Amino acid sequence: MALVTKAIKGTKDVLPKDAHKNQYIEATCFDIAERFGYKEIRTPVFEHTELFQRGVGDTTDVVQKEMYTFDDKGGRSITLRPEGTAGAVRSYLENGLCNEALPQKVCYHTSCYRYEKPQAGRLREFHQFGIECFGTASPLADAEIIAVAKSIFDTLEIKDLSLEINSIGCPTCRAEYHKALKEYFESKKDDLCDTCKDRLDRNPMRILDCKSPVCSAIAEGAPVVIDYLCDECREHFDMVQKYLKAQSIDFTINPKIVRGLDYYTKTVFEFVSNSIGAQGTVCGGGRYDGLVEELGGQRTASLGFGMGLERLMLLMEAQNAPFPEPNVADLFIVALGEKATLKAVEIAKDMRAEGFGCLLDLNQRSVRAQMKYADKLGAKFNVVIGDNEVDTGIAKLKNMSTGEETEIALETFVNGFYNISLSEQLADLEINGEEFDFSSLFSVGGEK
Ligand code: ATP
Ligand code: MG
C-alpha cells in the first residue's frame, strides 16, 4: 500500500496540460464579477468551527455530517471551510467593511472541504467561485447577482442551463409556513427517513431538500412556501422577476428550492443542467438577510451565490464548450557548446524582459534531441546557435508553422525577432476579408 503516491479520496489534481482551462474559467469569473463592481476577497482556508456552525447552520448536512473539523495543537476546534460565505461575512465584520459605503460587493475563488461520498461532480476538496453583496435589501440586488452568474455562463458559452428561482419568505411568513409543513409531514412521519424525523421538529423545511427517494416523494405533495408569502415578500419576489425579465434572463419558479436555514430569506435560486448527471446544480445562491446579525453584526440585508467550478468544468467538457488554446513559447533556442549556450542565455534573458516566452534545453542535448524537445513544446520559432553562429553573429530564425527561415543578427536579436514575428503576423492580417494596406497607416495626415 503505497499511500504516498495516492491522492486522498475525493481530491483531484489539475495537471499542467489542463491548467489553462481552469485559469480561463477563473479569469472569466473574476472579470465578469468586476464588471458588476465585485472585488476579490481572500480569507483563510480554516476558521473557528463555531463560525460554520452558526454561519452554515447547525441543522444542515454540511455541519452535521460533512465538515473537516479537528483540534489544533492549542486545543482550538478548527474547521476547513466547507463554503465561502461564512468566512466572507466574518472578514466583512472583523475588518470594518461594514462601515464603508454600502453595499459592499466581494467575490472569491476558494477551495472548499466536505466529507461527502465522492462521485462525478461531488468531491471532498472542490472549488467555488462566489460573490457576496452586503447591505442591500433591494430586489435589484437579487436580480444583479443572478445576472452575474448568468453572464459568466454566457461568456463561457455554456448552453442548456436552466435558472430556477423561489422565494422562501421572511421569518414572519415562514412561521405560518412551518406550521403547515409540520402538519403535513406529521401525518407521514412513519415513512420519513430517520434524519427527516429529526428534522421535523428542528427545521421541517430541510425535509424538502432530502435526497432519499421516499422523502422526496412525500415532499412532492407538501405545501409550498410561495403560497404563504407575506405582502412584502411577495412584492419583493415580483420585482426580482421583473428585473430579470428586463435583462432577458429566463427562469422558472421551482417551489422546491429551499435553503432551509433561518437566516436565509426571500430569493433563492439555482442554475441546473441536465448534461452532467445527478450532480446538476452548478450554482446556488440567494438572500440571507439574517446571517450578518447571526454572526454578531448589525442586521444587514445581504445575498450571494456559490458556483461549483468542477461541475462547471464537467459541463463545459460535456458540451464541448470552447476553451482558448494554451499559451506556447515564442522561441526555442537550440544551443550547442558552451560559447553558444552563454549567448543563448543572454538572448533568452533579453527576450523574456521584452515579454516573449523563450525556452532552452536545460539538459544541453544533441541538436536532434533538442529539436525533438522543441517540437513537443510547440514554440512558434526556433533558432539554432552553435560556434559558427556565434562567430559570424548571424543565425537562422525558423517559423515552425510555415518552415520559413529568416536570417537574424545575434547582436540585435530581440529587435530582429520583433520585426520578423510582427511582419509575419501583419502579413496575415485581413480586415473585412481584404488584405490590409499598411501604406495607408503611414500616410495619415498626408504631406503638407
Ligand atoms: P448539493 O445539493 O449538490 O450537495 P449543495 O446545496 O450542498 O449542493 P452549496 O452549498 O449550495 O451546494 O454549494 C454551491 C455549489 O458548490 C453547488 O451548487 C455545487 O456546484 C458546488 N458543490 C457543492 N458541494 C460540492 C462537492 N462536494 N463537490 C463539488 N462541488 C460541490
Ligand atoms: Mg451538499
Side-chain angles (χ1 to χ4, degrees):
M1 271 245 286
L3 275 183
V4 284
T5 54
K6 198 127 182 56
I8 287 182
K9 193 170 157 186
T11 67
K12 227 175 101 244
D13 301 314
V14 174
L15 300 178
K17 71 174 171 54
D18 294 322
H20 69 288
K21 293 188 181 179
N22 290 266
Q23 288 164 355
Y24 167 64
I25 292 178
E26 289 151 24
T28 302
C29 290
F30 278 116
D31 177 33
I32 298 297
E34 179 127 43
R35 292 186 207 179
F36 287 82
Y38 293 77
K39 298 256 186 238
E40 186 182 7
I41 188 167
R42 296 188 191 188
T43 61
V45 71
F46 48 33
E47 300 269 4
H48 294 296
T49 300
E50 198 189 343
L51 175 69
F52 300 116
Q53 285 169 340
R54 286 171 52 181
V56 179
D58 265 333
T59 62
T60 57
D61 282 355
V62 171
V63 169
Q64 290 197 337
K65 307 184 207 161
E66 300 172 359
M67 293 208 301
Y68 278 90
T69 298
F70 57 95
D71 286 344
D72 72 4
K73 292 195 163 71
R76 301 168 198 90
S77 180
I78 302 280
T79 294
L80 302 185
R81 64 177 164 226
E83 50 93 62
T85 305
V89 174
R90 197 256 321 128
S91 179
Y92 164 82
L93 291 173
E94 187 172 354
N95 296 293
L97 301 185
C98 46
N99 303 319
E100 293 177 18
L102 297 182
Q104 282 282 309
K105 297 175 170 186
V106 301
C107 60
Y108 49 81
H109 168 226
T110 53
S111 56
C112 300
Y113 302 85
R114 296 186 191 178
Y115 195 78
E116 300 199 70
K117 194 163 157 240
Q119 49 200 292
R122 196 175 289 289
L123 295 157
R124 290 183 175 172
E125 180 187 65
F126 64 99
H127 296 79
Q128 279 187 354
F129 178 78
I131 71 172
E132 314 292 345
C133 182
F134 300 116
T136 172
S138 167
L140 201 49
D142 306 49
E144 177 174 282
I145 64 162
I146 291 173
V148 173
K150 168 78 174 140
S151 186
I152 290 172
F153 296 135
D154 286 347
T155 307
L156 294 172
E157 297 185 42
I158 292 168
K159 297 177 295 268
D160 305 326
L161 254 189
S162 54
L163 167 62
E164 302 183 356
I165 65 171
N166 190 23
S167 173
I168 56 170
C170 62
T172 317
C173 38
R174 217 174 310 150
E176 278 301 300
Y177 177 59
H178 271 190
K179 231 171 25 194
L181 207 53
K182 225 164 151 176
E183 237 161 64
Y184 173 81
F185 283 121
E186 202 74 59
S187 66
K188 329 248 173 208
K189 191 171 177 178
D190 294 342
D191 298 328
L192 293 174
C193 74
D194 288 344
T195 323
C196 281
K197 282 191 183 110
D198 196 39
R199 285 171 176 150
L200 193 50
D201 287 322
R202 307 223 284 158
N203 190 345
M205 266 170 87
R206 290 229 56 87
I207 302 175
L208 301 175
D209 214 16
C210 182
K211 291 188 173 90
S212 113
V214 179
C215 296
S216 5
I218 296 175
E220 289 288 334
V224 296
V225 63
I226 21 183
D227 294 338
Y228 290 78
L229 295 184
C230 65
D231 289 348
E232 193 212 319
C233 287
R234 171 155 300 285
E235 197 186 319
H236 184 97
F237 195 41
D238 287 345
M239 285 313 293
V240 173
Q241 294 175 52
K242 278 192 191 154
Y243 288 132
L244 290 175
K245 285 179 188 153
Q247 303 174 78
S248 310
I249 297 176
D250 294 335
F251 59 86
T252 52
I253 295 175
N254 178 352
K256 281 195 297 188
I257 298 180
V258 290
R259 296 187 84 79
L261 308 179
D262 290 344
Y263 27 83
Y264 278 86
T265 49
K266 296 181 174 150
T267 316
V268 288
F269 66 91
E270 288 181 358
F271 281 87
V272 189
S273 162
N274 293 320
S275 335
I276 48 170
Q279 266 56 253
T281 305
V282 182
C283 175
R287 196 167 254 296
Y288 48 81
D289 288 345
L291 179 59
V292 175
E293 190 177 31
E294 174 67 29
L295 294 178
Q298 304 248 316
R299 191 163 175 86
T300 310
S302 303
L303 62 174
F305 70 65
M307 193 180 277
L309 295 184
E310 283 81 3
R311 287 187 199 176
L312 189 60
M313 178 72 83
L314 282 178
L315 184 57
M316 288 182 70
E317 283 171 345
Q319 295 187 348
N320 265 319
F323 284 101
E325 290 297 316
N327 286 337
V328 291
D330 297 290
L331 175 69
F332 189 99
I333 307 178
V334 176
L336 294 163
E338 190 179 330
K339 235 178 11 175
T341 302
L342 288 170
K343 191 71 198 165
V345 167
E346 188 190 321
I347 292 173
K349 172 185 175 264
D350 294 343
M351 286 288 288
R352 292 172 192 139
E354 283 302 312
F356 292 112
C358 184
L359 314 175
L360 340 132
D361 182 18
L362 297 176
N363 287 341
Q364 299 180 284
R365 284 168 286 206
S366 69
V367 183
R368 245 176 74 105
Q370 290 200 35
M371 292 285 200
K372 215 167 127 192
Y373 181 54
D375 220 40
K376 276 195 186 140
L377 300 181
K380 294 177 199 152
F381 290 86
N382 224 332
V383 67
V384 179
I385 305 180
D387 286 344
N388 192 24
E389 281 76 13
V390 177
D391 291 342
T392 59
I394 303 285
K396 281 202 182 106
L397 186 70
K398 183 171 179 186
N399 181 322
M400 297 308 285
S401 56
T402 63
E404 201 177 321
E405 288 191 318
T406 319
E407 288 202 336
I408 185 166
L410 298 187
E411 202 48 46
T412 52
F413 191 93
V414 180
N415 266 339
F417 188 84
Y418 248 124
N419 288 336
I420 294 164
S421 61
L422 201 63
S423 65
E424 287 186 10
Q425 274 174 40
L426 293 179
D428 290 342
L429 189 67
E430 287 183 0
I431 290 183
N432 297 333
E434 284 189 26
E435 219 173 277
F436 187 65
D437 174 16
F438 285 99
S439 58
S440 67
L441 271 186
F442 303 111
S443 61
V444 172
E447 274 163 51
K448 296 251 165 81

